[in-house]
Amino acid sequence: MTISWEQHKLTEFVEFFSGLTYTPNDVQEDGTLVLRSSNVSNGEVVDADNVYVNPQVVNSENVKVGDIIVVVRNGSRLLIGKHAQIKAFMPNTVIGAFMTGIRSECPEFTNALLNTSRFEEEIAMNMGATINQITGYMFSKMEFKVPCLDEQKKIGEYFENLDNLITLHQRMCVYKYNIICNTLGNSVSSQISPIRLVKRIKIISLTRVTRSQMKVDLCHKMRSLRTVAR
């Protein structure tokens, strides 16, 4: 039996939540972590240029496991749409005002959907020519072809496993890089970065593959995965 994919507006199968607006006076060394564009890298939430604010000024909700955080406003046009899924419990953590949070019944599928060229096309069609931002209204105009919920779960699981495999290989590259540095001396780490060294000696073929290079256009490719959903 063939499972049909139907055209739906993004707002029909996801919910949005907004980020926190704060002032420089609210920033402190410890407190509530505010996730910003710097905390999103290669589809993952990372510790980078962290900002903490006084918990008493927080009036937005804490992120939850499964939430997808999206950069919706930034000085760099290339960063608009950059996103990551919250994969672990993060207490005392909210998103910043230039971010948008997305929640859905099947977050793994939604996250994979946002990795497609179709999402990039929707951003390009709806984003203004002068202001680098995506508004709620722009999100409401985005449309995608999606399958039934059961198939979404199977597809989401497939891509989640693939993403975990990539992460495993990346960690192995870093592990082997550290072994090489310990063997050849610390001077190696100061002259050659982990990525350059790993590429040079070809430890693992997947070192040449990044998450951005492994983006798959689900609008075409996901149909081939229907057998997985049966």
Side-chain angles (χ1 to χ4, degrees), residues 38-71:
S38 61
N39 298 112
V40 179
S41 177
N42 293 325
E44 297 289 335
V45 177
V46 298
D47 285 324
D49 193 23
N50 289 354
V51 168
Y52 298 89
V53 298
N54 186 340
Q56 294 183 353
V57 304
V58 175
N59 55 10
S60 58
E61 54 185 313
N62 201 96
V63 296
K64 300 178 181 179
V65 175
D67 286 351
I68 302 169
I69 59 174
V70 186
V71 179

Side-chain angles (χ1 to χ4, degrees), residues 36-183:
R36 306 174 301 149
S37 61
S38 61
N39 298 112
V40 179
S41 177
N42 293 325
E44 297 289 335
V45 177
V46 298
D47 285 324
D49 193 23
N50 289 354
V51 168
Y52 298 89
V53 298
N54 186 340
Q56 294 183 353
V57 304
V58 175
N59 55 10
S60 58
E61 54 185 313
N62 201 96
V63 296
K64 300 178 181 179
V65 175
D67 286 351
I68 302 169
I69 59 174
V70 186
V71 179
V72 294
R73 187 169 184 177
N74 195 278
S76 171
R77 196 178 185 87
L78 296 177
L79 296 181
I80 303 300
K82 186 172 72 167
H83 59 278
Q85 184 178 350
I86 304 296
K87 297 181 179 179
F89 176 58
M90 300 183 69
N92 301 320
T93 304
V94 298
I95 59 176
F98 289 177
M99 308 284 288
T100 284
I102 294 180
R103 286 181 182 149
S104 66
E105 196 166 353
C106 187
E108 290 77 20
F109 173 83
T110 303
N111 189 57
L113 191 67
L114 299 186
N115 281 335
T116 65
S117 60
R118 178 60 184 172
F119 179 56
E120 295 175 351
E121 292 169 0
E122 288 286 344
I123 292 176
M125 285 190 298
N126 290 285
M127 190 164 58
T130 57
I131 301 178
N132 299 333
Q133 70 172 350
I134 311 174
T135 64
Y137 175 71
M138 294 174 184
F139 274 121
S140 70
K141 294 172 61 179
M142 295 183 180
E143 295 185 354
F144 300 90
K145 286 187 176 181
V146 296
C148 65
L149 184 59
D150 287 341
E151 189 173 3
Q152 287 183 35
K153 291 180 180 179
K154 291 295 183 180
I155 293 171
E157 180 180 355
Y158 177 90
F159 279 92
E160 183 182 28
N161 291 336
L162 178 61
D163 194 58
N164 290 337
L165 180 62
I166 296 172
T167 300
L168 178 63
H169 280 287
Q170 289 176 333
R171 289 176 179 173
M172 182 61 69
C173 288
V174 174
Y175 171 72
K176 291 189 176 183
Y177 165 77
N178 290 332
I179 292 178
I180 291 174
C181 286
N182 291 333
T183 302

Side-chain angles (χ1 to χ4, degrees), residues 8-16 136-137 139-142:
H8 288 279
K9 289 186 178 296
L10 181 62
T11 50
E12 293 179 16
F13 57 94
V14 306
E15 296 179 352
F16 297 90
Y137 175 71
F139 274 121
S140 70
K141 294 172 61 179
M142 295 183 180

